[in-house]
Amino acid sequence: STIHTGYFDQRSEDILSNSDAQKRVIDYIKDVASIVETSDGTQITASQMLERFLFTSNQQYTPIFKLSGGEKRRLFLLKLLMSAPNVLLLDEPTNDLDVQTLAVLEEYIESFIGCVIIVSHDRYFLDRTVNTIFAIETDGNIRQYPGNYSVYLDYKKQQEKADKNSISAVEQVN
């Protein structure tokens, strides 16, 4: 009952309803919350969060239908974050976000209080945002690895080397 999940889907169809498209950016965000509390306990207004996520004060009063596709994705992400989830599911978040937005998202995740689950093929993003990897192994089992993606790759290389050495040792015995 205490879990509030926020899900950022990799597909961008149906992000906004027709009625949302006519709204101003700030009103779309304020529909969720006017103020959100950050991890350090400070309160940030919807306008301040919009600025943090690269919407200038002028853009905040722009009708949503005038935004580019990437700006709409960024706005949808911000709306999700303004709902104050404590479990955040990000499905391929780097697909349609620009470099500046990804930097802001990385910073946000770093200070996020809660659980963040990221599904991504973006190794750089994973290195910057995760501290545990759950990998689906070839046998279908899920295995947990501590560290970011680069640490996981190093571990897998060491494991492959150890496996080859043990196979060689078995072959020499036979």
Side-chain angles (χ1 to χ4, degrees), residues 1-21:
S1 65
T2 61
I3 295 174
H4 177 76
T5 303
Y7 176 53
F8 188 69
D9 189 346
Q10 70 174 301
R11 291 185 281 287
S12 53
E13 312 99 42
D14 303 327
I15 287 178
L16 302 167
S17 67
N18 289 335
S19 62
D20 286 337

Side-chain angles (χ1 to χ4, degrees), residues 35-101:
I35 296 174
V36 67
E37 192 169 314
T38 63
S39 60
D40 64 3
T42 58
Q43 293 186 335
I44 296 181
T45 66
S47 180
Q48 290 169 322
M49 276 295 277
L50 280 162
E51 286 181 21
R52 183 176 179 182
F53 276 81
L54 310 174
F55 287 98
T56 65
S57 53
N58 287 339
Q59 282 180 309
Q60 294 178 23
Y61 293 92
T62 301
I64 292 172
F65 73 87
K66 290 187 176 183
L67 298 178
S68 70
E71 289 169 330
K72 289 177 184 175
R73 292 284 293 161
R74 183 170 11 118
L75 183 62
F76 179 71
L77 173 62
L78 181 55
K79 183 177 183 178
L80 175 77
L81 299 177
M82 287 295 289
S83 71
N86 56 12
V87 175
L88 191 55
L89 302 169
L90 302 175
D91 183 6
E92 297 288 355
T94 63
N95 279 1
D96 298 314
L97 299 177
D98 59 35
V99 174
Q100 293 87 356
T101 303

Side-chain angles (χ1 to χ4, degrees), residues 110-162:
E110 187 174 305
S111 64
F112 183 76
I113 296 178
C115 177
V116 181
I117 300 169
I118 301 170
V119 177
S120 182
H121 291 89
D122 186 329
R123 293 176 177 185
Y124 177 77
F125 184 75
L126 289 173
D127 274 349
R128 305 259 305 141
T129 57
V130 304
N131 57 20
T132 304
I133 298 287
F134 289 90
I136 300 172
E137 303 290 332
T138 54
D139 61 3
N141 291 318
I142 297 175
R143 186 157 178 203
Q144 180 178 345
Y145 297 90
N148 64 20
Y149 192 76
S150 291
V151 171
Y152 162 76
L153 288 179
D154 290 343
Y155 178 82
K156 292 300 282 183
K157 286 177 188 173
Q158 291 173 0
Q159 188 177 10
E160 286 175 16
K161 187 177 178 181

